[in-house]
Amino acid sequence: MAARGFPYTDLKDFLAALEKAGELRRVSVPVDPTLEISEIVTRTVRADGPALLFERPTRGEMPVAINLFGTEKRMAMALGVENLDEIGARIGEMLKPELPQGFSGMMGGLGKVMQLKSMPPKKVKTAPCQQVVYRGDDVDLNRLPGLKVWPGDGGIFHNFGLTHTKHPESGKRNLGLYRLQQHSANTIGLHWQIHKNSTAHHAVAERLGQRLPIAIAIGADPAVAYAASAPLPADIDEYLFAGFLRGERVEMVDCLTVPLQVPAHAQIVLEGYIEPGERLPEGPFGDHTGFYTPVEPFPVMHIECMTMQRDPVYHSIVTSQPPQEDHGLGKATERIFAPLLRFLIPDIVDYDLPAAGVFHNCAIVSIRKRYPKHAQKVMNAIWGAHMMSLTKLIVIVDEDCDVHDYNEVAFRAFGNVDYARDLLLTEGPVDHLDHASYQQFWGGKAGVDATRKLPEEGYHRGWPEEMTMAPEVVSLVDKRWQEYGL
């Protein structure tokens, strides 16, 4: 069921909904975007606190909205549902391959088609994001209250800029979420990682000796903001996906100086280009891994035009060792894409990506085990599944284990495993930010088979029966509980 007021027109509309639900607090005193905001947000997140609107940052000309997605409740509000699994269920229905039968089946099929038709973005001629325009020497990133989050950061960063590029040959659009380091009043560094689609667009532009046009939107509506972070296959347009999430087409407008489109209701838009071959040192940056990522050369965006709404709100995020605000984003991805992962690997019953593993270091997976070495088959399938290929540790459990109950998972992983036989070691790609791998971009991986073992797997002792209390005793104690005075 969609939340009241959904889909939100823009970020301000979402903030109003959060405030009405008691999920937003305003901070009216002056607060420094250098470190002070970060410490406030980190304490708020760890206390399971509200979204925050800093009305008087001491840098920049607009308020800062942050911690918008820090809980699963707010993430569900952002996407207009009571529970994030509702979106996964919609995706699961669309993945069903059977042909419609009878009148009801035809109507159901028609409903899916109508749902698909609502997805493509809609072009508009005028847009709120272009109410105020700065060009040339009037462009000044210091108008924005960018954050310095950690003492060792290399400068000011803009942490929720939605970056738009096009493939120079095919024209295919990509929307990505990358950190952006402010180098000067009109240049920023683009930290797009080796596995990202925008990196591929840039590589083609450099091979052709061409500038790559860039547009960055800050403060989009929450469905668009989430879509930028979603691990979509390269052939799925992020705005198609955002339209699916919204149940309504996203309005887009042509940029003023580059051949790209941006969300019409974004708060701020930066337009510019990358020169082929140009790099500047980027970092260090305190990232979501809990460690500083080192200085590396990354492309530089030259900003020629800066547009915004009247009275804009600046959106950002704090990164740190978990728990942090990206918990909500990671859990949304886990639940929304569960049906797609099951479609690719039907053996999977459920899975969990622990926040402590920053959502790509560990996956806990339950399966309905049917044959010897079934767990190892699933491990290898996951390591071949799009961005799940970056997973470093996979723990496979039986279907009767709740993958979201870490105590139960630990009980299985600690007790059901002979590590001389049930541990699969391999090598493969790891996340760009992984500091533990001895070589950048690839390293060791482990799969743990914590399922019950079969005789065909060489286990001939007879797997023991787990202890459970007799149902009649459980019922008796339930009935008499008040008598015990406990």
Side-chain angles (χ1 to χ4, degrees):
M1 180 183 295
R4 185 173 296 177
F6 186 83
Y8 308 106
T9 302
D10 62 4
L11 175 62
K12 294 174 187 173
D13 194 19
F14 179 48
L15 294 176
L18 289 176
E19 190 164 34
K20 186 175 181 180
E23 289 287 333
L24 176 75
R25 295 291 183 275
R26 294 173 180 265
V27 180
S28 59
V29 297
V31 181
D32 194 343
T34 296
L35 304 182
E36 189 178 7
I37 283 181
S38 173
E39 177 64 13
I40 294 168
V41 171
T42 298
R43 293 188 190 192
T44 302
V45 169
R46 292 175 183 174
D48 203 24
L52 300 173
L53 184 66
F54 293 95
E55 297 181 312
R56 297 171 63 193
T58 57
R59 180 173 53 248
E61 301 174 353
M62 59 199 70
V64 178
I66 203 161
N67 195 27
L68 304 188
F69 309 128
T71 64
E72 290 182 50
K73 177 182 178 181
R74 285 201 296 280
M75 194 69 238
M77 281 187 67
L79 301 180
V81 293
E82 293 290 329
N83 187 297
L84 293 169
D85 283 307
E86 293 176 34
I87 302 172
R90 285 169 57 198
I91 291 176
E93 283 297 314
M94 295 178 71
L95 290 172
K96 286 185 178 179
E98 66 269 13
L99 292 173
Q101 295 182 3
F103 179 75
S104 61
M106 289 174 60
M107 294 304 294
L110 180 61
K112 291 182 182 181
V113 172
M114 294 305 293
Q115 199 173 42
L116 283 165
K117 284 186 69 176
S118 74
M119 296 183 193
K122 173 184 177 182
K123 182 179 175 181
V124 295
K125 293 182 179 180
T126 60
C129 71
Q130 295 172 348
Q131 289 171 341
V132 180
V133 179
Y134 300 100
R135 298 176 187 261
D137 292 341
D138 290 329
V139 170
D140 186 359
L141 290 172
N142 294 308
R143 299 179 190 276
L144 309 180
L147 305 184
K148 183 175 180 180
V149 174
W150 295 103
D153 283 357
I156 294 170
F157 287 82
H158 305 281
N159 293 336
F160 223 110
L162 312 185
T163 303
H164 300 72
T165 59
K166 268 187 185 177
H167 192 287
E169 293 176 327
S170 70
K172 173 69 178 174
R173 171 174 51 212
N174 183 67
L175 172 65
L177 179 60
Y178 317 114
R179 74 178 191 232
L180 310 165
Q181 182 173 0
Q182 184 170 320
H183 290 314
S184 71
N186 64 352
T187 58
I188 54 177
L190 297 159
H191 188 276
W192 47 38
Q193 299 159 22
I194 190 171
H195 306 108
K196 305 298 185 180
N197 293 327
S198 289
T199 307
H201 291 185
H202 183 222
V204 173
E206 288 200 311
R207 175 170 55 80
L208 298 173
Q210 298 176 359
R211 286 179 170 180
L212 182 69
I214 305 284
I216 295 171
I218 298 174
D221 84 75
V224 171
Y226 170 70
S229 76
L232 296 171
D235 57 345
I236 300 295
D237 182 87
E238 286 81 7
Y239 282 102
L240 203 68
F241 182 58
F244 167 78
L245 294 174
R246 290 167 53 87
E248 182 177 291
R249 299 164 71 182
V250 178
E251 291 188 347
M252 307 281 288
V253 68
D254 287 337
C255 289
L256 300 181
T257 62
V258 292
L260 296 166
Q261 292 182 342
V262 289
H265 294 275
Q267 300 294 301
I268 303 146
V269 175
L270 310 176
E271 302 178 11
Y273 61 88
I274 297 174
E275 288 282 8
E278 185 180 14
R279 304 286 193 282
L280 280 179
E282 194 272 357
F285 179 75
D287 221 310
H288 69 283
T289 60
F291 297 87
Y292 289 103
T293 50
V295 175
E296 292 183 85
F298 275 93
V300 180
M301 177 184 178
H302 296 265
I303 301 166
E304 294 188 311
C305 183
M306 180 177 184
T307 74
M308 59 184 69
Q309 292 192 21
R310 282 186 285 271
D311 300 319
V313 176
Y314 177 85
H315 180 206
S316 193
I317 190 171
V318 166
T319 54
S320 77
Q321 177 182 337
Q324 194 48 267
E325 179 184 349
D326 57 2
H327 168 83
L329 294 166
K331 279 297 168 184
T333 292
E334 174 196 292
R335 302 326 304 160
I336 290 170
F337 287 89
L340 182 58
L341 189 62
R342 285 193 288 263
F343 182 77
L344 295 172
I345 311 171
D347 318 70
I348 292 175
V349 174
D350 198 2
Y351 80 122
D352 183 278
L353 303 176
V358 295
F359 298 103
H360 54 70
N361 283 340
C362 176
I364 302 165
V365 181
S366 60
I367 65 170
R368 188 170 294 111
K369 186 170 178 177
R370 296 187 292 112
Y371 48 79
K373 298 299 180 182
H374 195 168
Q376 287 78 358
K377 182 254 192 185
V378 172
M379 294 172 195
N380 286 300
I382 291 171
W383 282 322
H386 191 45
M387 296 306 287
M388 291 293 290
S389 65
L390 304 180
T391 309
K392 296 201 315 184
L393 173 65
I394 301 173
V395 179
I396 306 289
V397 294
D398 288 300
E399 65 177 313
D400 61 346
C401 177
D402 180 359
V403 294
H404 310 295
D405 182 340
Y406 297 154
N407 286 330
E408 185 176 356
V409 171
F411 174 73
R412 307 289 181 108
F414 298 160
N416 281 8
V417 179
D418 178 340
Y419 285 95
R421 292 174 175 265
D422 302 331
L423 181 65
L424 177 63
L425 297 177
T426 186
E427 293 179 331
V430 297
D431 189 80
H432 189 129
L433 303 178
D434 189 276
H435 62 278
S437 58
Y438 282 56
Q439 298 81 22
Q440 193 175 27
F441 307 130
W442 67 276
K445 297 165 178 282
V448 177
D449 179 2
T451 63
R452 299 176 181 88
K453 304 308 179 297
L454 304 172
E456 295 87 349
E457 293 174 303
Y459 186 90
H460 298 294
R461 297 175 57 196
W463 197 261
E465 180 183 354
E466 290 184 36
M467 299 173 295
T468 57
M469 180 51 67
E472 61 272 18
V473 175
V474 173
S475 179
L476 171 67
V477 172
D478 284 344
K479 291 177 181 177
R480 297 196 60 195
W481 189 254
Q482 295 296 327
E483 295 180 43
Y484 305 142
L486 299 177

